[in-house]
Amino acid sequence: MRNGLTDDDVTAALGDLDAATTLPPATIAALRLADRLTDVNPVVDAALYAELRRHFSEGQILTLGAALSVASGWQRFIEAFGIRPDGWTPG
């Protein structure tokens, strides 16, 4: 797959991150942040923050969090207004 991801990597990223043995620890930490920021109650607790700090600098955490928030917010916006890309619209 593109960027070196295998089908197993994608399956692991979408499944139980505690069982995701094929993914690098930094990727798992980033995916945990993505899950947390898109949760109904988006709170980064001390445990998640400590996990992030093991793999990323403060600046990288801020950049990652900002990028995830923009992507998530955009997705919520287009869903709320029923916007669909032209390629997904029949006819």
Side-chain angles (χ1 to χ4, degrees), residues 15-38:
D16 179 8
L17 292 175
D18 290 328
T21 58
T22 63
L23 297 174
T27 299
I28 292 172
L31 289 169
R32 287 189 201 285
L33 179 61
D35 286 347
R36 191 67 55 88
L37 291 178
T38 57

Side-chain angles (χ1 to χ4, degrees), residues 16-69:
D16 179 8
L17 292 175
D18 290 328
T21 58
T22 63
L23 297 174
T27 299
I28 292 172
L31 289 169
R32 287 189 201 285
L33 179 61
D35 286 347
R36 191 67 55 88
L37 291 178
T38 57
D39 196 8
V40 174
N41 185 23
V43 175
V44 175
D45 59 17
L48 177 56
Y49 188 70
E51 181 181 3
L52 289 166
R53 288 289 293 141
R54 281 193 293 275
H55 305 287
F56 304 106
S57 69
E58 293 286 331
Q60 289 172 320
I61 293 170
L62 277 174
T63 300
L64 181 59
L68 290 167
S69 296

Side-chain angles (χ1 to χ4, degrees), residues 1-5:
M1 292 184 98
R2 192 170 160 191
N3 294 329
L5 294 176

